[in-house]
């Protein structure tokens, strides 16, 4: 991967946003350049988990999906950098819309789901807890910037910052911050003289937060980042420290931690 490509670590609490009076609401999703419906299935490794078994499982899964009328277009795996008892990893399904997700799940459950679960549950079990509770968390995802360059190697690093609105900072202020952020990215890219595979999205939960057992608490949105490597993430953090503007004005309520995951591609858009 290109180690000289810039990328940045970002929390919305660093940008100037001026406003007065009450906070006005404006749809993040409706203002996005692109949108998606993304599901995060929590997974636990089984006794037969191995790299060989998992690789074979992913290959077979893709073959099954290729025969379905409504298959998920894209999928990635996330492995947490910090150990947790909640899951060993996440299986992420990236759909074009909620309607496509519902249609795809209906076809999957009516078709190969039972045989697939019986065959693979000893390797990996996803989307359900021991007490029968569904562990599939879906988000309406808004994109305001695409990657400026193709990632030279599969996989990378994903980060999530969880934030809440308050009396002084709402969706309108978030949109203004995004515009400022994109301007900063443009300037950084111009200074670097090269584009980067870095991109970000805004995740709005399609479920009630908080998720039981998690440390994030309640939140209104998650700011999601992707870097092509740990090197580029650290280089971006250094660039951010040197060039980011000083925090001023109303800010969202964001957690102190950025939750980091190693990412692995499972399925790419076909055609």
């Amino acid at each position: 991967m290109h180690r000289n490509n810039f990328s940045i670590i970002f929390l919305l609490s660093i940008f100037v946003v001026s406003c007065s009076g009450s906070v006005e609401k404006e749809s993040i999703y409706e203002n996005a350049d692109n949108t998606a419906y993304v599901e995060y299935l929590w997974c636990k490794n089984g006794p037969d988990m191995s790299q060989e078994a998992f690789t074979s499982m992913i290959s077979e899964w893709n073959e099954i999906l290729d025969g379905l009328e409504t298959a998920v277009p894209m999928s990635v795996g996330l492995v947490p950098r910090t150990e947790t008892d909640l899951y060993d990893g996440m299986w992420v399904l990236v759909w074009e819309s909620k309607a496509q997700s519902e249609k795809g799940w209906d076809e999957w459950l009516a078709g190969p789901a039972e045989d697939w679960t019986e065959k693979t549950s000893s390797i990996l079990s996803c989307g359900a807890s021991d007490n029968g509770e569904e562990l599939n968390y879906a988000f309406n995802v808004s994109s305001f910037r695409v990657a400026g360059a193709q990632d030279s190697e599969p996989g990378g690093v994903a980060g999530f910052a969880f934030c809440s609105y308050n009396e002084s900072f709402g969706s309108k202020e978030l949109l203004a911050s995004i515009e400022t952020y994109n301007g900063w990215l443009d300037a950084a890219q111009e200074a670097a003289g090269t584009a980067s595979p870095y991109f970000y999205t805004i995740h709005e939960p399609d479920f009630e937060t908080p998720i039981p057992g998690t440390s994030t608490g309640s939140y209104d949105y998650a700011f999601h980042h992707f870097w092509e490597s740990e090197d580029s993430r650290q280089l971006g953090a250094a660039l951010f420290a040197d060039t980011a503007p000083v925090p001023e004005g109303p800010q969202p309520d964001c957690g102190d931690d950025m939750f980091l995951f190693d990412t692995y591609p499972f399925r790419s858009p076909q055609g």
Side-chain angles (χ1 to χ4, degrees), residues 12-13 17 19 21-25 163-174 219-221 249-254:
L12 284 177
S13 57
V17 179
C19 69
S22 59
V23 170
E24 297 181 28
K25 292 184 178 180
C163 302
S164 297
Y165 298 129
N166 53 48
E167 293 182 356
S168 300
F169 191 102
S171 55
K172 185 176 181 180
E173 287 70 34
L174 175 56
Y219 57 90
D220 292 309
Y221 63 92
Q251 307 299 327
D253 297 327
C254 297

Side-chain angles (χ1 to χ4, degrees), residues 237-259:
L239 178 66
F240 177 85
D242 290 340
T243 65
V246 177
E248 294 182 22
Q251 307 299 327
D253 297 327
C254 297
D256 294 332
D257 297 323
M258 174 79 73
F259 293 83

